[in-house]
Amino acid sequence: MTLPLVRVRGLRVAFPDRARKPLLGAAPMIEVVKGIDLDIPRGCALGLVGESGSGKTTIGRALVRLVRPSGGELIYDGVDIAGWPEERMHPLRAKLQIIFQDPQSSLNPRLTIGTTLARPLQAFGRGGGRAGRMRRAAELLDIVGLPATFLDRYPHELSGGQRQRVGIARALALEPEFIVADEIVSGLDVSTQAQILLLLRRLREEFNLTLVFISHDLSVVRVLCDRVAVLSAGEVVEEGDTAAVFADPRHAYTRELLRSVPLPEVEEGWIMAERA
Ligand SMILES: Nc1ncnc2c1ncn2[C@@H]1O[C@H](COP(=O)(O)OP(=O)(O)O)[C@@H](O)[C@H]1O
Ligand SMILES: [Mg+2]
């Protein structure tokens, strides 16, 4: 058996509970991820679903070590990185990327798209000089289906879908292995959602990416993900092949989530039609 790229065992994340902070002293901790197990094989796209507040974003951030777990193991490519200090994480940061929900707030409004894409290259001493980095930035734009003229634009000059493509391009800049995409199509209109999903599906194959795709929308997960893990209140309540979970949801919570999907069904044929 080959080891999964990412193996999570008993992962816990706790935050200080400000609402219960006493006048003197530290706030008590509240656990929002309560000991979860996940296996993410190389090349797999795992959907992480669950209602708002169930801990999806916290888990996604923990998987790329933007949050330090309070307990458990986070085994990346055979090595437990759960407790690694930041200096030790640095070289791995190129391989682990996250794309955020809202590119409006994750893209610096004062930087051109070219500068935004060149920054990670500069931080990791890649791409040669400035001219080389701009060439790579133009190549990244091309990879996500945007013209090189966008190098000189600012985020506010782009549509929501174009900004999200830039967010994807930035995540690809350092040739990562593992990408967490956190609600990246939420807030986009349905046809733009479909285009972004198709782009992600193509990039996943092209660059052999391992993906965690976070969404509260099960119809979106169905299109992209091989496996799905259902979260409720910081725990995984169901996990399995996407088709199997959708066809025969075991857990009452999953059945409820399936019933409450608000968006129209995304049919395979519908999404394929967008490929033209
Ligand atoms: N930095 C933080 N400090 C304190 N509580 C947090 C923090 N981030 C998230 N939480 C809490 O953790 C829980 C899970 O949040 P989150 O991971 O954002 O869920 P989801 O992405 O599924 O909506 C929520 O109750 C939220 O209020
Ligand atoms: Mg979230």
Side-chain angles (χ1 to χ4, degrees):
M1 248 190 81
T2 56
L3 200 69
L5 180 63
V6 181
R7 165 165 285 182
V8 167
R9 287 294 177 273
L11 189 79
R12 295 175 181 279
V13 181
F15 293 118
D17 185 358
R18 289 197 186 80
R20 290 194 297 133
K21 185 192 175 314
L23 274 174
L24 297 171
M29 300 299 277
I30 181 164
E31 197 163 71
V32 301
V33 179
K34 300 169 183 166
I36 63 160
D37 297 345
L38 289 173
D39 276 335
I40 313 170
R42 224 174 252 281
C44 174
L46 172 76
L48 215 53
V49 304
E51 64 186 9
S52 178
S54 57
K56 302 183 298 296
T57 293
T58 304
I59 292 168
R61 292 171 65 90
L63 289 176
V64 296
R65 275 300 318 275
L66 287 180
V67 166
R68 196 185 187 127
S70 49
E73 297 174 358
L74 171 56
I75 298 163
Y76 187 82
D77 207 4
V79 183
D80 187 359
I81 63 169
W84 280 20
E86 189 49 41
E87 317 83 75
R88 199 167 172 203
M89 276 304 297
H90 182 74
L92 251 192
R93 294 252 170 250
K95 293 185 179 177
L96 313 183
Q97 293 290 326
I98 186 164
I99 311 170
F100 297 101
Q101 173 162 12
D102 181 9
Q104 178 81 309
S105 60
S106 71
L107 298 178
N108 186 329
R110 288 188 295 273
L111 299 184
T112 63
I113 302 307
T115 303
T116 287
L117 295 178
R119 280 215 162 165
L121 299 171
Q122 193 171 16
F124 280 80
R126 300 211 196 151
R130 190 184 143 74
R133 288 194 293 273
M134 282 302 151
R135 269 198 305 278
R136 172 68 175 149
E139 183 182 278
L140 288 164
L141 285 177
D142 185 56
I143 286 170
V144 298
L146 295 174
T149 52
F150 276 43
L151 286 176
D152 299 319
R153 303 237 179 128
Y154 288 88
H156 75 268
E157 301 176 274
L158 275 53
S159 71
Q162 289 167 341
R163 277 196 293 266
Q164 201 50 283
R165 284 174 193 263
V166 171
I168 293 169
R170 177 174 56 182
L172 292 173
L174 296 168
E175 302 177 348
E177 294 177 322
F178 177 61
I179 297 182
V180 173
D182 187 1
E183 303 269 13
I184 66 165
V185 299
S186 308
L188 299 175
D189 65 75
V190 175
S191 99
T192 309
Q193 285 192 12
Q195 288 167 15
I196 298 286
L197 289 172
L198 286 177
L199 173 66
L200 215 55
R201 192 152 82 171
R202 175 167 68 72
L203 295 174
R204 177 193 164 193
E205 272 172 43
E206 197 170 330
F207 300 112
N208 192 27
L209 298 169
T210 305
L211 281 180
V212 169
F213 189 82
I214 296 174
S215 182
H216 64 280
D217 180 356
L218 288 169
S219 59
V220 163
V221 166
R222 191 194 302 230
V223 174
L224 198 70
C225 299
D226 318 302
R227 295 184 69 77
V228 60
V230 182
L231 284 167
S232 179
E235 292 182 271
V236 174
V237 295
E238 183 156 21
E239 210 243 326
D241 285 346
T242 307
V245 169
F246 279 90
D248 180 23
R250 298 286 169 82
H251 200 278
Y253 177 78
T254 311
R255 289 197 288 273
E256 193 185 315
L257 203 60
L258 273 169
R259 268 201 302 277
S260 65
V261 171
L263 285 186
E265 196 86 342
V266 177
E267 291 299 338
E268 194 68 5
W270 174 81
I271 203 143
M272 298 306 275
E274 296 279 332
R275 183 166 284 190

